[in-house]
Amino acid sequence: MVDNSQEPKEHDVSLCGHYKVPADGVVLGELERINQLMAYGRIEQKIDALLDAFEYGQAGLEIIIHSLHDSSREVREAAYFLLQESTELSAKEVLQEYIPYEFFKCLHAWNGETIMSLCSSISSDWKTLVSVDNAKCNLWDLRTGQLIRTLDIDLPNNDVDNVTDYVNIAFIPDTQTLLIASEGIVSVWDIQTDEIIRTLKGNYAGSFATNLLDKTTISLGRRVHDDYSDSEHPVKVWNLQTGQLVSTIYGHNTAEESDLIVNSSEQFLTIMYCHYKDARGFYDIVIKMWDLQTGKRIDTFNVPLSKSDKTFFPTLSQDGKTLVTCSLDASIKVWNLQTKKIVHIFQGYPPFYLNLEANILVSSVSRADKTIIVWDLIKGEKIHTLQGSAPVAFSTNAKVLVTGGADNTIIVWDLQTGDKLCVLEGHSSQIVDIAISPDGQTIVSSSDISSYFANDATIKVWGV
């Protein structure tokens, strides 16, 4: 019997009146049918057509890629997941640029957990998250949601109201190393082998900053007992490879609020101290810079604040070169710490969020209003006014902004257009921290980071 399966059918398209099967075996009439359905079909017909298109190689992939911009969310979602199934290079290239925020859902949730800060509680490869619960340090797999292991934490007693007063945790960037400070000792853990590499002794709970150029870690001491006078909160500089103490920095006054920054491209340390002047919350801000190796002070800058200047959230940039303060009249001042000059004055309220790579500052419209402003730090102009609130996180390429929203939601925004990309619902109390992975494919949020928000106590992981 003769096989006529490759012969043209009644409605197939012919080329110049002569039938010819394309080299890749695709029947043009079938692709034309798929294109017609994608243009005029119902949603379910379009999805069926996409499944058929998947069988027609590169030509079918072009139809699927185009459908990522279909007017129907269901069609866009079907196109996205079909591209994920493809092994073609063109599909992989499109997926690298396309992030499906509108399809995000809660993948994992952990209840009753406390985190110090999402920025320091997630490993640099975004595979591991560390949390604290009942004097236990829990390591979670961000991809599967499974508990990897639990590490014991030494606390003064098991009845502490807020574990963050006694413990600090931080991943060392670009490594599988975890620092846990508790009861006067900083333990350096290898999270792959579950072993303590070394211990760094000192009477502090501690907060951390790291300098990857010379593999040091800097611990800003927090006085737990009375072994140090009010003027002797030591800053200790350790070599993480050898465990040796490099230097100890003294000579600064009591600091109820302190930020610790290691300049990533320089060999010095920047510390911001906020010294309270009276019960109304007025205080001085002092910026000091130190040589990491010698412990000698390089520079001191007393920020000249007027009587109207009052800020609960003075913000120091991650490179230690930009400071943001706020006044009672809601004027936001952006300082260049190298020139010690004000470069911009905006209108708004704290907290502030800086992204110097994209030259963006985010502030609140008011203390009560759930509205934020996105400012351009180059032009000194307002870019967007968005119906969101703190906390705020930027994607690595600064194309996406993630904020808190009304009714305990999370909102994802397109920073270029100001459009709302999606709203994530699931928390039952106030969201206090948000982080977004470098590739933008994962969002982590938390509530109840301290005892002030005792309703939800949940960490959630969002993605597709």
Side-chain angles (χ1 to χ4, degrees):
M1 179 179 295
V2 178
D3 184 3
N4 296 320
S5 61
Q6 297 299 321
E7 292 297 318
K9 299 182 175 54
E10 180 181 356
H11 298 292
D12 284 349
V13 175
S14 63
L15 300 175
C16 301
H18 301 284
Y19 172 72
K20 181 180 179 181
V21 177
D24 60 2
V26 175
V27 179
L28 295 182
E30 179 65 12
L31 288 176
E32 179 62 25
R33 181 189 70 83
I34 292 173
N35 276 318
Q36 290 293 317
L37 286 173
M38 296 309 301
Y40 305 109
R42 299 186 302 274
I43 291 176
E44 59 271 19
Q45 290 177 317
K46 289 183 177 183
I47 294 175
D48 288 340
L50 288 178
L51 293 172
D52 292 338
F54 193 72
E55 305 297 327
Y56 288 93
Q58 186 61 42
L61 278 179
E62 294 299 326
I63 295 175
I64 297 173
I65 291 171
H66 180 75
S67 300
L68 286 173
H69 306 287
D70 192 89
S71 59
S72 166
R73 181 189 180 280
E74 291 91 339
V75 174
R76 295 193 299 271
E77 186 172 12
Y80 171 77
F81 283 107
L82 282 172
L83 289 175
Q84 280 196 321
E85 295 294 324
S86 175
T87 58
E88 295 292 333
L89 179 60
S90 60
K92 296 182 182 299
E93 290 176 344
V94 168
L95 290 178
Q96 286 180 348
E97 298 296 325
Y98 182 86
I99 301 179
Y101 292 111
E102 61 177 333
F103 314 137
F104 272 31
K105 61 182 179 181
C106 183
L107 303 178
H108 316 297
W110 303 299
N111 296 321
E113 299 288 334
T114 301
I115 54 175
M116 309 300 116
S117 165
L118 283 174
C119 292
S120 60
S121 298
I122 299 175
S123 60
S124 58
D125 58 8
W126 268 73
K127 293 180 180 179
T128 309
L129 179 144
V130 59
S131 66
V132 178
D133 183 31
N134 294 326
K136 301 288 184 180
C137 176
N138 298 320
L139 274 66
W140 304 93
D141 189 316
L142 275 173
R143 297 162 299 180
T144 66
Q146 298 298 311
L147 178 65
I148 301 172
R149 62 181 59 89
T150 297
L151 311 175
D152 290 329
I153 301 174
D154 293 327
L155 294 177
N157 59 71
N158 293 326
D159 298 322
V160 296
D161 293 330
N162 188 358
V163 70
T164 60
D165 288 338
Y166 297 92
V167 178
N168 196 42
I169 294 174
F171 280 99
I172 298 301
D174 302 325
T175 71
Q176 293 297 313
T177 305
L178 178 67
L179 300 181
I180 303 178
S182 174
E183 276 294 87
I185 295 177
V186 178
S187 302
V188 184
W189 291 80
D190 185 323
I191 64 173
Q192 291 184 321
T193 63
D194 195 17
E195 295 179 351
I196 296 179
I197 303 172
R198 61 184 53 89
T199 57
L200 313 175
K201 295 183 179 181
N203 196 0
Y204 47 81
S207 58
F208 306 108
T210 57
N211 187 334
L212 298 181
L213 294 178
D214 56 8
K215 305 299 181 185
T216 58
T217 183
I218 292 84
S219 176
L220 174 62
R222 178 190 298 147
R223 188 159 58 95
V224 180
H225 306 296
D226 291 327
D227 299 297
Y228 294 108
S229 68
D230 284 346
S231 62
E232 292 181 333
H233 291 279
V235 176
K236 294 182 179 290
V237 182
W238 303 88
N239 185 310
L240 279 180
Q241 293 179 319
T242 65
Q244 292 181 333
L245 180 65
V246 177
S247 61
T248 301
I249 296 173
Y250 296 96
H252 46 82
N253 298 322
T254 304
E256 285 82 359
E257 299 280 347
S258 298
D259 278 352
L260 181 69
I261 300 293
V262 177
N263 298 71
S264 58
S265 60
E266 316 264 354
Q267 297 294 323
F268 62 88
L269 168 71
T270 302
I271 308 177
M272 177 175 70
Y273 304 101
C274 303
H275 302 296
Y276 283 91
K277 295 165 61 175
D278 56 42
R280 295 175 297 168
F282 293 95
Y283 51 72
D284 295 324
I285 297 176
V286 181
I287 308 292
K288 295 183 180 180
M289 297 181 184
W290 311 79
D291 186 294
L292 286 176
Q293 298 300 319
T294 66
K296 293 182 179 180
R297 188 185 308 174
I298 300 172
D299 193 12
T300 299
F301 176 38
N302 292 280
V303 182
L305 301 178
S306 66
K307 291 184 178 180
S308 64
D309 288 324
K310 175 184 178 181
T311 171
F312 292 102
F313 299 96
T315 299
L316 186 65
S317 66
Q318 285 300 307
D319 63 0
K321 298 177 182 179
T322 303
L323 173 70
V324 182
T325 63
C326 186
S327 302
L328 284 176
D329 60 0
S331 61
I332 302 169
K333 296 175 182 177
V334 182
W335 301 79
N336 182 321
L337 294 182
Q338 292 179 307
T339 63
K340 301 179 181 178
K341 302 291 185 182
I342 297 173
V343 292
H344 294 299
I345 298 180
F346 302 128
Q347 290 295 308
Y349 287 89
F352 312 113
Y353 297 87
L354 281 164
N355 187 313
L356 295 184
E357 292 182 354
N359 291 301
I360 288 174
L361 168 70
V362 173
S363 67
S364 298
V365 170
S366 71
R367 290 177 181 149
D369 191 12
K370 296 288 185 180
T371 306
I372 60 173
I373 303 175
V374 182
W375 302 94
D376 187 320
L377 289 177
I378 297 296
K379 299 179 180 179
E381 299 174 349
K382 182 188 300 184
I383 303 174
H384 302 298
T385 300
L386 307 175
Q387 297 302 309
S389 62
V392 167
F394 298 91
S395 64
T396 300
N397 57 13
K399 292 182 178 179
V400 169
L401 179 70
V402 185
T403 74
D407 302 323
N408 310 317
T409 58
I410 299 166
I411 306 175
V412 182
W413 305 88
D414 185 320
L415 261 180
Q416 294 179 321
T417 65
D419 293 336
K420 186 183 297 185
L421 298 178
C422 73
V423 178
L424 305 177
E425 300 178 345
H427 281 285
S428 59
S429 67
Q430 181 177 353
I431 297 164
V432 293
D433 205 358
I434 298 174
I436 182 170
S437 62
D439 63 4
Q441 300 286 346
T442 306
I443 293 173
V444 179
S445 59
S446 70
S447 59
D448 192 27
I449 200 169
S450 72
S451 59
Y452 296 106
F453 309 104
N455 299 320
D456 191 13
T458 303
I459 302 170
K460 293 184 182 293
V461 181
W462 309 83
V464 293

